Amino acid sequence: MDSNEYINDFLYFVTRPAGDGGEGAMLYCSGVNLSRFLPITKGRHRAMSNPAMRGLQLVNLGVREMALSAGATPKAVRGNHCTAIAHTEGIWYKESLLIEDAPASFHNEITAYCVPELLRKIDRALMLGAVLPDELLAPRELQTLISAMCTMYGPDRRPEDRRIDN
């Protein structure tokens, strides 16, 4: 089973073979940089948890459902199994999961699901109404898009100024 990494300054989703999990076992690592999402989340989550953190939790539940549907077994893991993942400074919320008996193509399916779904969940929680891409963007392209969203929907912008100039 191959490794797959989708990493930028805002988020990451990484899958890699789990050395001690047996054949078809993979480690799934995910994280969101709460500091980087602050321009669009600050002050908008008093009654609930941070929308980026909650979005990642919900996406990870979706990964568990995907694993079960594919005949794999998701298992919670404790410890820092994902510490070698390079990410930028800031406050990161991270989760990891061991998936046993995963199909060989599962790591690609996870990324294709997780990245757009996380954006949709954050957008819905914040009621931004942002125009989100239908396809999976490259990590740097997505970073540019999220940075533009933070500028456009941040607290310092007036509603009439909230547009992305291309």
Side-chain angles (χ1 to χ4, degrees):
M1 179 177 293
D2 296 329
S3 295
N4 190 17
E5 294 187 352
Y6 190 98
I7 301 172
N8 64 33
D9 292 344
F10 285 88
L11 52 86
Y12 65 83
F13 294 97
V14 174
T15 58
R16 61 175 67 140
D20 57 349
E23 185 68 28
M26 63 184 277
L27 184 62
Y28 161 75
C29 305
S30 60
V32 289
N33 186 333
L34 301 176
S35 303
R36 291 296 300 251
F37 276 103
L38 249 157
I40 57 175
T41 61
K42 184 178 180 182
R44 298 182 186 194
H45 55 85
R46 296 184 205 287
M48 60 182 192
S49 65
N50 182 296
M53 181 174 70
R54 184 66 182 141
L56 186 65
Q57 291 169 342
L58 292 172
V59 165
N60 290 342
L61 287 174
V63 169
R64 288 174 180 265
E65 289 175 18
M66 287 174 61
L68 290 170
S69 296
T73 305
K75 293 185 175 182
V77 291
R78 297 203 184 275
N80 290 330
H81 300 279
C82 302
T83 55
I85 297 171
H87 48 271
T88 60
E89 296 178 2
I91 299 169
W92 285 83
Y93 174 74
K94 306 174 233 178
E95 289 196 1
S96 57
L97 185 64
L98 175 67
I99 302 174
E100 295 178 336
D101 302 317
S105 64
F106 198 58
H107 62 93
N108 289 326
E109 295 171 28
I110 286 176
T111 303
Y113 164 77
C114 291
V115 176
E117 189 63 18
L118 176 63
L119 290 181
R120 284 191 289 271
K121 292 197 180 302
I122 292 170
D123 182 65
R124 273 184 251 145
L126 296 172
M127 295 184 288
L128 297 177
V131 176
L132 302 173
D134 292 327
E135 72 282 348
L136 180 64
L137 300 177
R140 291 288 161 221
E141 288 177 293
L142 183 68
Q143 180 171 309
T144 300
L145 174 71
I146 298 172
S147 292
M149 287 174 62
C150 287
T151 299
M152 182 169 55
Y153 297 107
D156 298 333
R157 298 296 296 257
R158 299 179 313 231
E160 61 270 17
D161 293 336
R162 293 183 177 169
R163 68 184 192 291
I164 297 178
D165 297 321
N166 291 324

